[in-house]
Amino acid sequence: MELIVAGYVKVRDRRAVTDLLAHRRKVLAELQAVSGINPESAVRAIQDELAVIEAGLEELKPPPGSVPENEWN
């Protein structure tokens, strides 16, 4: 995941990073809703991936004041 995010950050592809974040959040929600098995290790792995993705998004943030806040979010 780190290499994927690093690649997107390198080419400044914010949309790909936000899409990846949305996908991983969806997977996490689905895992947390599972019953009958213990998805604890998978949940932990997805949470780790989310941290990597969120850090990538932070790297892509424009400098303060360079873009209106409503255009970034």
Side-chain angles (χ1 to χ4, degrees):
M1 183 58 62
E2 290 175 6
L3 292 174
I4 293 168
V5 172
Y8 289 147
V9 169
K10 185 175 182 175
V11 297
R12 314 279 309 154
D13 191 344
R14 181 176 169 266
R15 174 178 226 114
V17 179
T18 56
D19 289 348
L20 190 58
L21 181 64
H23 177 264
R24 285 302 193 247
R25 284 182 175 161
K26 180 181 175 195
V27 170
L28 179 61
E30 290 172 356
L31 279 172
Q32 290 172 329
V34 168
S35 62
I37 63 165
N38 183 355
E40 185 178 321
S41 62
V43 166
R44 198 172 25 245
I46 295 294
Q47 289 170 332
D48 291 345
E49 290 177 354
L50 285 170
V52 169
I53 296 166
E54 289 167 352
L57 277 175
E58 282 298 313
E59 286 186 51
L60 290 173
K61 268 191 169 177
S66 64
V67 175
E69 187 66 27
N70 62 345
E71 288 184 26
W72 169 247
N73 292 327

